[in-house]
């Protein structure tokens, strides 16, 4: 009995202390006295570690996928010659292709198709398809490639500020290599132009003469002492005409050899829309142009004024062409189609370009230009249909 009482007395303070501290005290006392459950002790820490590992692995995988997307996008932009391209030591052919800016070939290739349609004499057969493809190669990869390489060569100091990823300022290709490349492209373009004249049976090498004229415009646009791109309106219009009028003329001369003065003037008028497109390209270079004293329209008039000049030239030109197609050619439905294709262009101008022409220039061009080039095709089809009527076909 004495032993039992002593045991009870010894345990009473512990119970009192535990009760006085409440539930927390009970848990702390229990954890101090009772052994840790082997099952719980083994599972709690590993569960936390496994969850952390899984989260980290998922995060690393997301980062890796994002990096792969950025690398892939950068490589594509590099090959197409677009801004924000990656600067990587790639195979030399990729660097040379980037220097030629393939993304700029599309309007020229399309212009050849429009000229072929305007001839009213294009028929779908193997020979005509081969002619068209060769003419597109002359206008796009060869002569437009020449234009882009010579422009990069003479703009290497500006590009070091505005577009340092370009091949020459980034050191991916030497200046001597660039000179050799644009000389070879020029020679190839002129040679193909002469072959096209022979193939078409022309008495005079009119496509060859046109190729010489366009190459000369490209040279004085980029090279001193004239360097037309420094002259604001003149330079932008020269570039716009090269992108719309010249490939149209080549396509129409190749298949119909029936380019008339009124159609030639129509394409020159349409080149005012090309002037607007050329001004869009100047907004991204405004910082470097201002620093080096180049008189681009955004530098001369400021961003706010230049953006309205841009959309004005693009929209008013197409309305004027639609009026000529309706009144001058009597092609009412083609005129209506040109006007309808102007509506989405105006929508994208107010959605992207007007709010921020510097930030949204690429978005605007990607969204609006397909409708512009479709309008050019409608004009070519209208001229072709008119020529067929005149020929009694």
């Amino acid at each position: 009995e004495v032993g039992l009482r002593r045991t009870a007395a010894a345990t009473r303070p512990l119970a009192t202390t535990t009760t006085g501290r409440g539930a927390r005290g009970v848990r702390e006392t229990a954890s101090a006295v009772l052994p840790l459950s082997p099952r719980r002790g083994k599972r709690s820490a590993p569960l936390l570690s496994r969850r952390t590992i899984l989260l980290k692995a998922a995060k690393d995988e997301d980062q890796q996928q994002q990096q792969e997307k950025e690398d892939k996008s950068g490589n594509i932009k590099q090959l197409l010659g677009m801004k924000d391209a990656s600067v990587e030591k790639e195979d030399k052919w990729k660097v040379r292709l980037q220097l030629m800016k393939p993304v700029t070939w599309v309007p020229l290739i399309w212009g050849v198709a429009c000229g072929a349609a305007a001839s009213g004499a294009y028929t779908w057969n193997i020979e005509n398809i081969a002619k068209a493809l060769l003419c597109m190669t002359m206008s796009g990869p060869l002569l437009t490639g020449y234009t882009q390489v010579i422009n990069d060569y003479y703009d290497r100091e500006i590009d070091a500020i505005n577009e340092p990823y370009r091949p020459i300022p980034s050191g991916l290709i030497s200046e001597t290599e660039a000179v050799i490349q644009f000389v070879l492209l020029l020679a190839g373009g002129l040679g193909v132009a002469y072959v096209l004249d022979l193939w078409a049976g022309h008495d005079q090498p009119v496509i060859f003469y046109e190729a010489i004229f366009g190459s000369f415009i490209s040279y004085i646009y980029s090279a001193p002492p004239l360097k037309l791109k420094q002259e604001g309106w003149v330079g932008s219009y020269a570039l716009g005409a090269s992108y719309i009028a010249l490939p149209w003329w080549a396509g129409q001369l190749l298949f119909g050899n029936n380019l008339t003065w009124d159609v030639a003037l129509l394409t020159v008028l349409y080149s005012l829309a090309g002037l607007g497109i050329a001004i869009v390209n100047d907004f991204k270079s405004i910082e470097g142009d201002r620093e080096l004293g180049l008189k681009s329209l955004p530098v001369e008039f400021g961003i706010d004024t230049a953006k309205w000049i841009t959309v004005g030239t693009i929209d008013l030109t197409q309305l004027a062409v639609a009026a000529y197609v309706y009144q001058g050619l009597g092609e009412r439905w083609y005129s209506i189609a040109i006007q309808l294709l102007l509506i989405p262009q105006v929508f994208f101008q107010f959605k992207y370009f007007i709010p921020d022409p510097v930030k949204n220039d690429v978005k605007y061009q990607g969204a609006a230009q397909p409708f512009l080039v479709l309008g050019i095709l409608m004009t070519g089809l209208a001229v072709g249909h008119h020529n067929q009527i005149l020929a009694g076909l």
Side-chain angles (χ1 to χ4, degrees):
E1 291 178 358
V2 173
L4 290 173
R5 286 195 297 271
R6 288 178 178 174
T7 301
T11 58
R12 191 177 296 114
L14 178 61
T16 304
T17 303
T18 302
T19 305
R21 293 171 62 188
R24 181 181 177 186
V26 173
R27 287 193 299 270
E28 292 177 355
T29 303
S31 64
V33 174
L34 298 175
L36 187 64
S37 169
R39 186 177 179 184
R40 292 180 59 122
K42 289 182 180 179
R43 290 183 59 187
S44 58
L47 275 175
L48 181 60
S49 300
R50 190 178 298 116
R51 184 168 180 268
T52 303
I53 292 171
L54 290 174
L55 289 174
K56 185 177 184 302
K59 183 178 180 181
D60 291 342
E61 184 177 359
D62 290 341
Q63 290 177 345
Q64 183 179 359
Q65 291 177 351
Q66 182 65 26
Q67 185 63 41
E68 290 175 354
K69 289 180 181 179
E70 291 177 357
D71 292 342
K72 184 177 180 180
S73 174
N75 290 333
I76 293 174
K77 287 180 178 179
Q78 182 185 25
L79 290 179
L80 294 179
M82 299 171 66
K83 70 177 185 178
D84 299 327
S86 62
V87 182
E88 297 181 1
K89 201 70 176 178
E90 296 282 358
D91 296 335
K92 185 64 73 172
W93 72 267
K94 293 183 179 180
V95 177
R96 292 189 181 280
L97 186 62
Q98 181 192 7
L99 196 60
M100 294 162 63
K101 287 187 179 179
V103 72
T104 63
W105 302 348
V106 178
L108 284 294
I109 293 172
W110 187 262
V112 171
C114 294
S119 71
Y122 181 85
T123 55
W124 289 96
N125 57 57
I126 299 299
E127 182 180 8
N128 282 346
I129 292 174
K131 283 182 181 179
L133 291 176
L134 187 59
C135 190
M136 290 174 179
T137 301
M138 175 197 70
S139 298
L142 293 176
L143 293 183
T144 305
Y146 152 78
T147 301
Q148 296 300 336
V149 177
I150 196 172
N151 182 69
D152 266 32
Y153 176 76
Y154 285 107
D155 275 3
R156 55 193 183 275
E157 295 180 0
I158 301 174
D159 287 342
I161 300 172
N162 294 324
E163 301 176 279
Y165 59 84
R166 298 296 301 157
I168 298 176
S170 66
L172 295 179
I173 193 170
S174 69
E175 295 177 13
T176 301
E177 290 174 318
V179 172
I180 293 173
Q181 184 171 349
F182 73 66
V183 169
L184 291 176
L185 289 170
L186 175 61
L190 296 179
V192 170
Y194 191 75
V195 169
L196 288 171
D197 279 316
L198 294 177
W199 198 350
H202 293 158
D203 294 332
Q204 296 292 327
V206 287
I207 298 178
F208 178 73
Y209 293 154
E210 183 195 342
I212 292 177
F213 174 72
S215 301
F216 174 72
I217 295 296
S218 297
Y219 177 80
I220 64 175
Y221 174 79
S222 300
L226 294 180
K227 206 173 178 70
L228 294 181
K229 67 184 304 177
Q230 295 180 343
E231 303 303 323
W233 287 92
V234 177
S236 296
Y237 183 74
L239 183 63
S242 299
Y243 271 69
I244 294 179
L246 294 181
W248 178 310
W249 296 355
Q252 188 165 352
L253 289 170
L254 177 61
F255 291 101
N257 200 16
N258 56 357
L259 181 65
T260 56
W261 284 107
D262 60 331
V263 175
L265 290 174
L266 175 66
T267 59
V268 169
L269 174 61
Y270 228 134
S271 297
L272 288 173
L275 166 64
I277 296 172
I279 300 173
V280 172
N281 294 326
D282 288 337
F283 282 93
K284 68 177 183 296
S285 304
I286 186 170
E287 181 179 342
D289 291 348
R290 184 182 291 117
E291 184 173 332
L292 295 175
L294 298 181
K295 299 178 182 179
S296 66
L297 290 181
V299 172
E300 286 287 286
F301 294 95
I303 291 177
D304 287 338
T305 301
K307 70 184 181 184
W308 289 108
I309 294 175
T310 300
V311 299
T313 54
I314 292 174
D315 298 345
L316 293 177
T317 295
Q318 293 177 83
L319 289 174
V321 169
Y324 173 79
V325 169
Y326 184 84
Q327 295 291 337
L329 302 180
E331 300 288 345
R332 181 179 65 175
W333 293 110
Y334 286 112
S335 175
I336 293 173
I338 295 169
Q339 296 173 63
L340 291 176
L341 287 168
L342 179 59
I343 295 174
Q345 296 178 60
V346 174
F347 171 77
F348 288 120
Q349 286 167 1
F350 281 91
K351 182 177 181 180
Y352 293 127
F353 189 72
I354 297 301
D356 193 339
V358 177
K359 179 181 178 182
N360 297 328
D361 61 331
V362 176
K363 284 184 179 180
Y364 164 67
Q365 291 188 81
Q369 282 195 19
F371 299 99
L372 172 66
V373 297
L374 284 174
I376 299 174
L377 178 60
M378 291 298 105
T379 306
L381 292 171
V383 173
H385 186 253
H386 183 69
N387 285 333
Q388 288 177 339
I389 294 174
L390 294 178
L393 299 177

